[in-house]
Amino acid sequence: MVEQELIRAAQSGDRDALITLLREIEPAVYKTAYYTLNNEQDAMDAAQEALIRIYTKIGSYEEKAQFKTWVQRIVTNICIDKFRRVKPTVSIEEHEMVFEGHDSVEGEVMRAYTREDIDRAINLLPEHHRTVVILRYVQDMSYNEISGCLDLPLNTVKSYLFRARSQLQQLLQDYQKGGAL
């Protein structure tokens, strides 16, 4: 959680505070970009563009909204713009299996495949559903924060999430029955 004093110091021209602030938010910015664009290089570009925009626009941030919501709105808008410009591609080489625990290799491989299946299913969702799923489940934002970030009514956010979960459930069930994602 970014402290308000750090934000205020950055807004008042304290360069060190601004650099510290950007370093603190960089992982969350990249995470949103990566899950939205599903491509490491595009995510790095979008994250960099978002951090530059935050750097240049920090003075325009008003405490009406949470800082986290303001940041996520910036990165989400940049990603949506990039997504509209370029049709995303999926490269098998970019997916790495990450072994988190000390379970059996078979269990780890199955979890990696399940994770890839979920990622593919999320990428099949319509853009507005995919965006709310990423903000809710990857960035762990509340419904109200998502509403503020995307400038949508709260009930619309809830509706999008409900529909997205239903679509994901159907996609994953179809896949388990032998379909393809």
Side-chain angles (χ1 to χ4, degrees):
M1 190 77 172
V2 179
E3 294 184 26
Q4 287 301 111
E5 295 82 33
L6 185 61
I7 296 167
R8 287 188 194 108
Q11 286 180 309
S12 67
D14 182 339
R15 188 174 186 276
D16 292 334
L18 182 57
I19 290 169
T20 301
L21 179 65
L22 292 173
R23 284 189 179 140
E24 282 186 25
I25 63 171
E26 184 178 14
V29 167
Y30 174 78
K31 195 176 194 182
T32 298
Y34 181 78
Y35 279 94
T36 302
L37 299 170
N38 198 32
N39 177 295
E40 185 176 354
Q41 190 61 46
D42 289 343
M44 289 179 2
D45 291 346
Q48 182 178 17
E49 188 176 334
L51 291 170
I52 290 169
R53 190 165 301 165
I54 292 163
Y55 177 86
T56 59
K57 302 288 185 184
I58 190 73
S60 68
Y61 167 69
E62 298 175 1
E63 293 184 27
K64 295 177 188 172
Q66 288 185 7
F67 185 72
K68 175 173 130 178
T69 303
W70 184 74
V71 167
Q72 288 301 321
R73 174 181 269 176
I74 290 171
V75 71
T76 300
N77 287 340
I78 288 170
C79 288
I80 288 170
D81 289 345
K82 278 190 166 298
F83 190 76
R84 286 181 180 151
R85 278 185 260 152
V86 179
K87 186 163 176 87
T89 60
V90 177
S91 171
I92 294 173
E93 289 79 27
E94 290 179 6
H95 293 283
E96 297 176 10
M97 289 193 284
V98 179
F99 296 100
E100 296 174 10
H102 301 291
D103 293 335
S104 70
V105 172
E106 293 85 7
E108 296 297 334
V109 170
M110 289 308 293
R111 273 193 285 288
Y113 281 124
T114 300
R115 176 63 191 198
E116 285 182 21
D117 293 342
I118 292 170
D119 286 348
R120 275 193 216 107
I122 289 171
N123 284 322
L124 292 174
L125 294 174
E127 181 181 309
H128 54 284
H129 289 170
R130 182 176 50 255
T131 302
V132 295
V133 165
I134 291 167
L135 292 176
R136 177 71 181 125
Y137 298 108
V138 175
Q139 290 299 341
D140 199 31
M141 293 178 77
S142 71
Y143 291 172
N144 287 328
E145 289 171 330
I146 296 169
S147 173
C149 177
L150 299 177
D151 198 24
L152 293 171
L154 182 60
N155 285 336
T156 302
V157 170
K158 290 178 181 180
S159 173
Y160 283 0
L161 279 169
F162 177 80
R163 289 182 184 135
R165 284 190 298 262
S166 296
Q167 289 172 326
L168 284 172
Q169 185 178 20
Q170 187 63 49
L171 285 167
L172 293 170
Q173 282 176 351
D174 290 348
Y175 177 69
Q176 286 176 342
K177 292 177 186 173
L181 282 179

